[in-house]
Every structure is written in C-alpha cells, then in structure tokens.
Amino acid sequence: MIGLTTIFATHNRDEALCVADRIVVMAAGRVEQVGTPREIYQRPTTRFVAEFIGLTNMFTGGLEAPGSFRTQVGERFAVSPACSEPGASVLAIRPEHVRLKRAAAMTGTEDSLEATVEDAVFRGALTKLIVRTASGARLAAYLQNADTGRDDELRPGDRVVASWPADAPMLF
C-alpha cells in the first residue's frame, strides 16, 4: 500500500470489480451509485447500475402486494417484503441465483418457471445456460460444474424448472 488516492476510469466491469476499493457508476455525466465492488454488484440502487455491472435477468410488471411481484405476462414471484419498493416495475435476478432442475425432478415451494434449455456454454468452473420460459422470457443461469456430473449435464432441448430463493430478486 502506497497511501495514494488514484482514479482509474474504465468501462470494463471485471477490471473495476477486481482493482477498485470504491466504484462510481456514472450515466450521462451523472453519478448513479457509489460503493464498494460488492455493494455495487449485490445491491445496485438503479436498473442502470444492475445492468451495467453484470448480467441480470429482468422481468417487467409490478408489486401486487408486499412480498408478491406479478410480471406483465402473469407470472407471480415471491420477493422479500424488505425489498418491496412501492412502485417497483422491474424484478431483477442475477444468473448465479437461478436454480435449474430437470422438470421431472423439481420439488419444493420456491416460485418456479417451466423452461427449455436453448444454449449451454461450458466455461470451465461454470456453465452458462440460456433457457426460454413458456411465456417466451429468456433467463440466464450460471451452474457450478462441481455440482454436476456427466449424467446430469443440461443440454439444449432439455425441459427444466427455473427457481430462485425469495430473497434473491432486486426491485427497481
């Protein structure tokens, strides 16, 4: 540590997250959010910041009641009452929070969407999957490859159920 303040301007999200103690996200010359890399990524304050700093699945709609979000196409998702922003019209979920199970294997009480795998890209430690829901929405999911074996690898055309914990969505 040299004890100097340094300003480093970049448009590279990964670079900013790796080297910065604090990040300032700007849009059109206006500060959108200031915070640590973890705060900016995990708790973005605006939709712009959420989309700028990482891949994010977005659903438009609105809150029906505290703890319940309904998309424009009628899908309902539980959200933490603590993050139920009045007037929120966008629900955002990071791909690492999306859980995918084969449609026949799904059990539990989480909200879920039936979907079909469209694309699977092996990236070493993880696989990035793109799935399309019955309503036509596309969702990205990151699956840790340590959690899967050769026999349970998801491939294009596989039917799955996508779900996430109720505290994973962000509302804007």
Side-chain angles (χ1 to χ4, degrees):
M1 179 176 279
I2 58 175
L4 295 174
T5 299
T6 304
I7 296 174
F8 181 71
T10 183
H11 288 91
N12 185 304
R13 165 192 80 213
D14 293 331
E15 191 172 66
L17 291 172
C18 291
V19 302
D21 294 325
R22 294 183 53 79
I23 295 175
V24 177
V25 179
M26 298 179 71
R30 192 174 139 266
V31 173
E32 291 276 329
Q33 186 174 351
V34 178
T36 66
R38 187 175 300 275
E39 290 167 344
I40 296 288
Y41 183 82
Q42 292 181 340
R43 291 184 304 281
T45 56
T46 66
R47 179 180 179 164
F48 175 83
V49 173
E51 290 179 309
F52 182 79
I53 208 67
L55 182 59
T56 309
N57 297 298
M58 301 281 186
F59 294 93
T60 56
L63 287 169
E64 285 191 310
S68 180
F69 187 91
R70 182 182 169 126
T71 68
Q72 286 180 332
V73 294
E75 298 155 333
R76 285 188 177 87
F77 304 117
V79 294
S80 170
C83 73
S84 294
E85 299 288 329
S89 62
V90 176
L91 180 136
I93 302 160
R94 296 280 190 204
E96 62 270 21
H97 295 294
V98 177
R99 309 287 186 256
L100 297 177
K101 303 270 187 191
R102 292 191 185 279
M106 185 62 186
T107 61
T109 60
E110 291 178 306
D111 289 309
S112 60
L113 291 171
E114 291 186 21
T116 302
V117 176
E118 283 192 341
D119 195 21
V121 179
F122 179 81
R123 296 176 126 182
L126 61 86
T127 296
K128 177 183 176 184
L129 291 128
I130 303 295
V131 302
R132 185 170 301 274
T133 69
S135 69
R138 293 182 79 204
L139 270 172
Y142 295 148
L143 300 182
Q144 292 292 319
N145 288 328
D147 297 338
T148 62
R150 292 184 92 132
D151 296 335
D152 58 357
E153 182 180 324
L154 294 172
R155 294 179 177 83
D158 286 348
R159 299 283 304 147
V160 296
V161 175
S163 65
W164 48 84
D167 63 351
M170 301 171 281
L171 296 173
F172 302 107

